[in-house]
Amino acid sequence: MGTIPLLRSPLNILVDSLAEPDVTVPVLREGEEVNLTCTVPAPCPSHPPNVIWDPALGGNVTQRTQMNADGTQSVSAILNFIPLLHHHELKVNCVSIQNLHREDRPLLSHKMVILSVEYPPKETWISFTDLVWLGDNVTLTCQSKANPPAVHRWFMKRAGLEEELGISHVISFTTSRDNTGEYICEAQNLYGAMNSTNLQITVLGQSVLETIDVEF
């Protein structure tokens, strides 16, 4: 009795959806070159997905294919760029496009990340808008733009001497003639420090006259 030959049919892999990209974002520091990496599976080695960054942030994108430990393949898109202040809180998408040479549209998957760029204080100013009288309460507020948020330290200059008033976002006091002087707020984080311009408060008789000179 003879053997019956087995007929082998072609193996077809049907891909109906793509896995969400895996995105790696390191710590972003203003002015320091860095790589963002987006990786997606490549279930069909003969038709690997095209992986892009949108927007590309003015950087260079390199694609590479790698073999995983389990024998599967994946494709990575590496975005090399220099983070700047205007990139902070920017939404960036990694998009995977799988063309399967079919009549229908290619398969798409994407993942969105929001960038957090760390930078030293860029603007520091003192908010003080109320006219107060002798004996009233005065509140000075120090504001700054920094990431991570800055620590605020207060100083007062009077008669050629500088006195540290404390560390706080806000300081309050009851006005007296001893409060006459220049008030300065210093904002500081891991990456640097910046002073506000001086706020001159002069106590005259029954009122406090204040002048604010703020530079951005």
Side-chain angles (χ1 to χ4, degrees), residues 149-164:
V151 173
H152 300 105
R153 189 186 307 269
W154 290 90
F155 300 90
M156 177 184 176
K157 288 184 178 180
R158 179 176 54 189
L161 300 176
E162 184 174 280
E163 174 187 359
E164 182 174 344

Side-chain angles (χ1 to χ4, degrees), residues 126 140 154-163 165 171 178-185 196-202 211:
I126 300 174
L140 304 182
W154 290 90
F155 300 90
M156 177 184 176
K157 288 184 178 180
R158 179 176 54 189
L161 300 176
E162 184 174 280
E163 174 187 359
L165 301 179
I171 60 171
D178 291 337
N179 296 125
T180 294
E182 295 179 81
Y183 291 80
I184 306 163
C185 173
S196 68
T197 51
N198 296 4
L199 169 67
Q200 175 66 47
I201 294 181
T202 304
T211 304

Side-chain angles (χ1 to χ4, degrees), residues 89-144:
E89 297 184 343
L90 182 68
K91 295 180 180 179
V92 181
N93 288 281
C94 172
V95 183
S96 174
I97 306 171
Q98 180 73 66
N99 292 301
L100 298 177
H101 300 289
R102 303 187 306 187
E103 293 182 357
D104 54 349
R105 293 185 300 177
L107 298 176
L108 300 176
S109 67
H110 82 283
K111 185 171 185 178
M112 186 267 290
V113 293
I114 300 177
L115 303 183
S116 176
V117 179
E118 298 187 349
Y119 58 90
K122 297 294 184 181
E123 300 176 4
T124 304
W125 68 98
I126 300 174
S127 298
F128 178 63
T129 57
D130 295 331
L131 179 64
V132 297
W133 298 92
L134 186 68
D136 285 348
N137 291 327
V138 169
T139 297
L140 304 182
T141 303
C142 185
Q143 302 183 62
S144 61

Side-chain angles (χ1 to χ4, degrees), residues 183-194:
Y183 291 80
I184 306 163
C185 173
E186 178 193 69
Q188 183 175 18
N189 66 7
L190 295 173
Y191 304 107
M194 184 179 185

